[in-house]
Amino acid sequence: MTGPRRVLLLAGSTEATQVVGALAGRADVELTVSFAGRTANRARTPHGVAERVGGFGGIDGLCRYLERESIDAVIDATHPFAQQMPRHARAACQALGVAVVHVERPAWVEQAGDRWIIAADIAEAARWVQRSAARRVLLTIGRQELAPFAACDGARLIARCIDPPGPGVLDGAEILLARGPFTLAEEMALLSDRGVEVVVSKNSGGAATYAKVEAARSLQIPIVMVARPPATGATVVASATAAVEWLGRDGTVGPT
Ligand code: NAP
């Protein structure tokens, strides 16, 4: 092998940050981290790691980027609910014969005492809330998919997000701006103080936002749990560590 291998990391998750930490400074890897550009205050990329921001322009645009930048391997560490980017990454890499792996942390699994209503997607979750008798509903699904809940006019909605939703999105809802991780005590206090009767959550998995699930279990509050989008068919690993190991194996980078 001649020279460092060029790796594109599609970011947007905790695991992406961990992959950057593991690969930054490695002499055998030239890393570029790609962000969609949706988060106002994102973590700084370490010195020596290249950064790019914004979409590639669909599958064709990504193909052009991969060729132009001579990318050898792609690590897709977008969020488990990112729908398009993983499909585009898989299709573009397949077309060009570039190695690709999808980092997807395991989904949460319902435990004894949980009261989950599984929804296939956000629209189904919103329909469930609309039909329910719940008067106070906590939405913890981010800011970009709140619109379907506008139809839930019988309930008081509290939407927790990192950045404010756009103007006109869910007018009348209480917006709580907060960035996890949250402790169990904080989540218990939030649910109790606001008299929350139903929580709506994506099944994001991981530890950072799991306390709300534990708090709801403890307080016997149902959670409308939105299921993950369908798998892309790409090779999946469950952690940043496994992605870095993959790179030394199938991604043909580093010592084998
Ligand atoms: P998406 O459906 O997968 O992406 C929509 C489009 O945004 C993609 O087709 C692509 O545009 C661009 N894009 C997404 N991730 C990118 C990346 N890392 N680098 C460059 N372009 C990217 O994802 P989304 O649900 O809109 O989320 C946008 C970003 O926020 C993702 O990176 C995701 O990891 C992160 N995020 C999402 C959620 C969520 O719940 N959906 C939660 C936390 C973080 P082009 O087609 O033009 O290439």
Side-chain angles (χ1 to χ4, degrees):
M1 193 186 300
T2 55
R5 305 291 284 173
R6 293 174 64 79
V7 177
L8 174 67
L9 173 68
L10 301 170
S13 66
T14 308
E15 288 73 16
T17 309
Q18 293 166 346
V19 170
V20 173
L23 294 181
R26 260 179 64 166
D28 58 340
V29 175
E30 256 179 48
L31 182 64
T32 299
V33 187
S34 176
F35 298 94
R38 306 267 166 85
T39 309
N41 297 307
R42 64 167 185 272
R44 284 189 143 210
T45 305
H47 182 68
V49 174
E51 180 181 305
R52 67 166 301 286
V53 180
F56 297 92
I59 296 169
D60 291 346
L62 181 56
C63 283
R64 285 193 294 276
Y65 176 88
L66 296 175
E67 286 188 310
R68 189 177 67 239
E69 298 296 324
S70 304
I71 299 295
D72 299 302
V74 174
I75 299 177
D76 171 10
T78 50
H79 186 269
F81 276 81
Q83 300 232 23
Q84 283 195 64
M85 197 68 249
R87 285 195 280 109
H88 292 184
R90 160 114 166 109
C93 289
Q94 199 169 30
L96 298 177
V98 171
V100 59
V101 73
H102 188 186
V103 188
E104 190 168 279
R105 70 181 86 117
W108 295 319
V109 176
E110 194 169 3
Q111 307 287 316
D114 282 336
R115 296 173 60 195
W116 287 11
I117 299 100
I118 310 286
D121 51 30
I122 293 286
E124 191 175 309
R127 284 195 296 275
W128 190 91
V129 170
Q130 196 182 4
R131 285 196 307 267
S132 79
R135 313 305 300 170
R136 283 169 181 266
V137 179
L138 175 66
L139 305 175
T140 61
I141 54 171
R143 71 187 161 105
Q144 296 191 16
E145 294 168 281
L146 295 172
F149 291 90
C152 304
D153 43 14
R156 169 146 181 71
L157 301 174
I158 306 161
R160 181 169 70 190
C161 16
I162 295 175
D163 295 316
V169 178
L170 221 55
D171 282 340
E174 179 185 352
I175 306 298
L176 281 183
L177 295 182
R179 184 193 288 268
F182 305 103
T183 65
L184 181 57
E186 286 166 343
E187 298 295 57
M188 295 280 283
L190 173 65
L191 297 182
S192 309
D193 295 352
R194 309 291 174 117
V196 170
E197 294 168 336
V198 171
V199 177
V200 180
S201 172
K202 293 175 175 175
N203 192 335
S204 298
T209 57
Y210 190 64
K212 69 185 163 194
V213 179
E214 296 176 299
R217 181 187 306 141
S218 207
L219 297 169
Q220 277 297 288
I221 295 171
I223 301 185
V224 183
M225 188 65 83
V226 181
R228 298 266 177 105
T232 62
T235 301
V236 174
V237 294
S239 66
T241 306
V244 173
E245 279 168 13
W246 168 89
L247 205 50
R249 208 175 50 242
D250 307 291
T252 63
V253 174
T256 51

